[in-house]
């Protein structure tokens, strides 16, 4: 009954938009680990005033803006970023030629498997599903940040296992970026030696290894974001009880963070 072609096409677009958003989100997730590592490196090099998540969000938005060139009618020109204005003419032509051919992204190299889809992020459309408002202060109060909850019988899990259990095994470190409110403890050499001896992890030398509370991860798994996910694998957690001396260090660390002390730099752990 609609005679306006634009209205008819927009109705079709509205019907297909949720599926299109989900597929776009999957594409971005393939490259999210590269954005995350780069943003964290920028912060480490420039300083703590840099907001890694803001950099990631801006990069993703710029990717979408440049993707519009694929559907340019030759009249409307997509504004380029300031640093791209200075690109040599030949480089700009090459970029536009790739876009016209439908190949805006180079072919994948072997050895770089794509990340896992974000199907477990329910109820949020588009790339906003993994958006983290890092600019907002991380609250470290309430019962979950009470050091007295860490006792000699409290169970912990490795950060890498928590990532797998929540369906984020293909994007290491995403758990910490998405949920900065979680208490995490960076194991020191003495801790890692004990963990390796008990076969909870392989000897990793100077590489980072984070410990999280099993209770916190199970609470996340029961939340709306994860409980219906087909990627949920709680059997991957493999919790353990650390020795009393390690628990005492974690209590002190939690107390320091709760009182506004500095946390160790965020790194993507390779446990």
């Amino acid at each position: 009954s609609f005679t306006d072609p634009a209205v008819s096409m927009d109705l079709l677009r509205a019907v297909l938009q949720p599926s299109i958003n989900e597929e776009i989100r999957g594409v971005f997730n393939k490259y999210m680990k590269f954005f995350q590592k780069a943003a964290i490196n920028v912060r480490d090099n420039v300083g703590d005033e840099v907001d890694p998540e803001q950099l990631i969000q801006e990069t993703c938005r710029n990717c979408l803006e440049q993707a519009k060139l694929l559907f340019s009618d030759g009249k409307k020109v997509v504004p380029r970023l300031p640093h791209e204005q200075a690109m040599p003419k030949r480089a700009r032509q090459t970029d536009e030629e790739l876009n016209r051919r439908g190949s805006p992204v180079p072919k994948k190299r072997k050895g770089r498997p794509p990340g896992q889809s974000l199907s477990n992020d329910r109820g949020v459309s588009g790339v906003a599903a993994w958006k983290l408002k890092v600019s907002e202060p991380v609250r470290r109060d309430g019962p979950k940040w009470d050091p007295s909850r860490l006792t000699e019988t409290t169970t912990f899990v490795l950060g890498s296992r928590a990532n797998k259990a929540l369906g984020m095994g293909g994007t290491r470190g995403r758990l910490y970026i998405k949920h900065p409110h979680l208490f995490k403890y960076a194991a020191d050499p003495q801790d890692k030696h004990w963990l390796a001896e008990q076969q909870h992890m392989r000897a990793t030398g100077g590489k980072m290894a984070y410990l999280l509370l099993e209770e916190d991860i199970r609470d996340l798994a029961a939340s709306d974001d994860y409980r219906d996910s087909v990627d949920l694998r709680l059997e991957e957690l493999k919790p353990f009880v650390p020795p009393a001396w390690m628990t005492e260090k974690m209590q002190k660390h939690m107390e320091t963070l709760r009182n506004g002390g500095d946390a160790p730099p965020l790194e993507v752990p390779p446990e």
Side-chain angles (χ1 to χ4, degrees), residues 243-260:
W245 52 265
M246 191 186 301
T247 301
E248 184 178 350
K249 284 195 290 187
M250 287 190 278
Q251 285 177 328
K252 293 179 180 178
H253 182 62
M254 179 180 283
E255 183 69 33
T256 299
L257 293 178
R258 189 176 68 161
N259 292 332

Side-chain angles (χ1 to χ4, degrees), residues 122-139:
R122 307 276 180 177
V124 185
S125 62
V127 295
W130 33 257
K131 182 178 180 180
L132 168 66
K133 297 179 180 178
V134 178
S135 56
E136 297 179 359
V138 177
R139 295 189 61 181

